[in-house]
Amino acid sequence: MRSIRRWGTLGVASAIALIGASCTGGATGGGTTEQAAAGPATVEVMLSEFAIDPSAITVPVGQPIEFSVMNMGQAPHTFAVDVAGTTYETELIDPGTTVVLKVPALDAGTYPAYCTVSGHKDLGMLATVTAGTSDPGAGATGSSSAGQGTAGTSMSAAMMASMHKAGVDAFLAGNQTPTQGNQLLAPTMDGTTKVFALTASSVKWEVSKGQFVDAMAFNGQIPGPQIDVAYGDHIRIVVENQLDQPTVLHFHGMTVPNAQDGVPFITQDPIMPGQVWTYEFTVKDPPGMYVYHSHFNSTEQVGAGLYGALIVQPEGGNWPYPALSVDGHTGATTVGAPVIVDDESTLFLGDGPLGYVLNGKSFPATTPIVAKRGDWVLIHMANDGSMLHPMHLHGYHFEVVAQDGFPLEQPYMADTLVIAPGQRFDVLIHAIYPGAWAFHCHILPHVEGPQGMYGMVTALVVQ
Ligand SMILES: [Cu+2]
């Protein structure tokens, strides 16, 4: 009975609207438009912290417009449109309420729209209203002053730049959301057995500030809490299903007894809503990154957030990964001694119901990886989405040291690493170049459109 829904066009809709032809505002970008000659055209707009959805609004030419503006956020906002020197503006709209803004018939062109509450425009609450075809030439009669003819978008160059800047500013200013996945899950002890409790439930997950989507989470987090274990540990994982559909838990990449493999009707009955299921096994895999995830209706359940990291920690806390020294002239590499890791993080790639996400968040709500200059940074990366994602780090070559939990006999240097669904890689970065370096998927529709960056973008910030 469940299906993943979004709140109208909130959530990933704005990212999706940026992809391909739909960003030209033809079919999907413009909310609801009615062409009836007699009455005004009604256009639905949603406000949140800090976005206007859709951000590329199309309206008919020569017909009065009634913007039905709903505030889906938690703070008061306004909606304003500048038309040839006149600003049409709503009153302050309280959260959860809808206000209609009437704007007279527009000439063909593109007009800026934004929230007038101080600072909100800079945080991302801006949009474009395009009257008529979004043929790039159509903007010429509008208020935009520069950059006409930009292929594939109806926005002016100035608008494109300002929207892109708003996203980067928000990211660098710390636009992260209060909820974060990958929180370390402390076990309770039953004798020598480490017991971990996971509860699967439906949640509203904030993928980007103010943008909540219907999601599924373990212990309310996406990714689910990180479970750290060691070789030889005897562990018990108790899963409570609070969803309204069955689920099971699979330990991806782990060597487990057949009965603990978590596949419905192959190794166990599904865990029905309200039921609890206990998994128990001894860790028999080398230090590295493994994953736990749902194996029931997984297109929806894993896409919606039911996955997390299971890290087999190295003995004594020291990873066995060596430094590669690189001859900058020839590119030859020499394997050195294992490094002492200063900063360790876990990065899940996701796509599907949550949109394009890193650790369950879409840029600018992604969290940067912060290191001190000279640090060795270890990142455990896993793809629990359904697409390939080539992860690319600017300014550096990272060292690929392990795949699927196994240290590579010959680590290698790369700057772009294709991670297929189900794969895990550990990469080392020697953070010797200061600055903020973009770190993103290199499938461009997953990261950047005419309104700037979104989705699978974060940064390595070296201080
Ligand atoms: Cu991608």
Side-chain angles (χ1 to χ4, degrees):
M1 65 181 275
R2 274 194 56 81
S3 64
I4 289 294
R5 295 170 305 273
R6 300 181 190 102
W7 295 4
T9 56
L10 266 182
V12 295
S14 60
I16 289 168
L18 294 174
I19 299 168
S22 62
C23 69
T24 61
T28 61
T32 307
T33 60
E34 291 168 6
Q35 298 292 342
T42 302
V43 177
E44 289 175 1
V45 175
M46 283 186 242
L47 310 178
S48 59
E49 290 79 36
F50 289 93
I52 296 175
D53 243 313
S55 52
I57 302 164
T58 48
V59 299
V61 177
Q63 194 177 349
I65 314 296
E66 286 188 5
F67 292 96
S68 172
V69 184
M70 182 184 293
N71 183 357
M72 308 284 285
Q74 270 105 51
H77 298 292
T78 71
F79 179 73
V81 184
D82 283 345
V83 181
T86 303
T87 299
Y88 297 90
E89 179 180 358
T90 66
E91 66 208 63
L92 210 52
I93 309 173
D94 284 331
T97 58
T98 300
V99 165
V100 172
L101 176 67
K102 294 182 181 179
V103 174
L106 297 174
D107 293 333
T110 297
Y111 306 87
Y114 50 92
C115 173
T116 60
V117 175
S118 174
H120 287 195
K121 183 178 172 185
D122 285 343
L123 285 167
M125 294 193 70
L126 69 174
T128 55
V129 174
T130 299
T133 161
S134 50
D135 166 354
T141 56
S143 60
S144 48
S145 56
Q148 306 304 336
T150 306
T153 176
S154 56
M155 281 187 286
S156 70
M159 179 63 73
M160 291 173 75
S162 91
M163 294 189 80
H164 197 120
K165 180 176 185 299
V168 172
D169 287 350
F171 174 75
L172 293 175
N175 192 52
Q176 288 70 43
T177 49
T179 48
Q180 293 291 329
N182 286 330
Q183 306 290 324
L184 197 61
L185 181 61
T188 55
M189 300 301 296
D190 178 9
T192 56
T193 301
K194 289 181 179 171
V195 183
F196 298 92
L198 292 177
T199 300
S201 67
S202 296
V203 297
K204 298 272 186 210
W205 183 250
E206 193 175 17
V207 291
S208 191
K209 212 152 204 179
Q211 302 203 329
F212 290 83
V213 297
D214 285 326
M216 299 180 188
F218 287 115
N219 299 8
Q221 305 169 32
I222 300 171
Q226 180 165 317
I227 294 176
D228 280 3
V229 297
Y231 181 87
D233 278 355
H234 191 73
I235 65 173
R236 182 183 303 151
I237 296 175
V238 182
V239 179
E240 181 179 346
N241 181 8
Q242 291 184 358
L243 302 166
D244 53 12
Q245 57 177 275
T247 193
V248 290
L249 196 65
H250 169 65
F251 304 95
H252 182 88
M254 297 294 286
T255 304
V256 297
N258 182 258
Q260 307 304 309
D261 195 41
V263 182
F265 303 114
I266 290 186
T267 64
Q268 68 166 92
D269 288 336
I271 313 171
M272 298 304 285
Q275 288 186 340
V276 173
W277 194 279
T278 299
Y279 298 88
E280 192 158 335
F281 56 91
T282 300
V283 176
K284 293 183 171 171
D285 293 288
M289 184 186 196
Y290 303 84
V291 168
Y292 64 84
H293 60 214
S294 165
H295 212 295
F296 193 99
N297 186 20
S298 50
T299 304
E300 180 183 8
Q301 292 192 5
V302 176
L306 289 182
Y307 54 83
L310 207 161
I311 308 278
V312 179
Q313 290 287 342
E315 229 167 286
N318 299 317
W319 291 92
Y321 303 141
L324 275 192
S325 52
V326 181
D327 182 320
H329 187 61
T330 65
T333 56
T334 310
V335 178
V339 303
I340 303 294
V341 170
D342 301 292
D343 310 289
E344 187 174 337
S345 56
T346 299
L347 187 66
F348 269 98
L349 322 182
D351 50 63
L354 303 181
Y356 298 114
V357 288
L358 297 177
N359 284 340
K361 301 289 178 179
S362 174
F363 183 92
T366 48
T367 303
I369 296 163
V370 179
K372 287 198 306 292
R373 192 175 182 182
D375 279 0
W376 281 94
V377 177
L378 173 63
I379 308 173
H380 307 286
M381 286 196 281
N383 183 353
D384 252 43
S386 299
M387 301 174 181
L388 300 176
H389 298 289
M391 291 301 294
H392 173 57
L393 175 62
H394 288 219
Y396 283 85
H397 291 79
F398 49 72
E399 191 185 328
V400 184
V401 289
Q403 181 173 350
D404 296 344
F406 285 81
L408 296 177
E409 263 179 53
Q410 180 56 62
Y412 60 94
M413 306 303 293
D415 58 58
T416 308
L417 183 65
V418 180
I419 308 180
Q423 283 190 312
R424 290 94 61 215
F425 286 96
D426 282 3
V427 304
L428 269 183
I429 300 159
H430 196 195
I432 52 178
Y433 307 122
W437 300 97
F439 185 31
H440 62 88
C441 173
H442 216 291
I443 292 180
L444 303 178
H446 298 181
V447 295
E448 194 171 77
Q451 285 136 310
M453 294 192 287
Y454 58 84
M456 307 178 80
V457 180
T458 184
L460 171 68
V461 178
V462 180
Q463 293 168 335

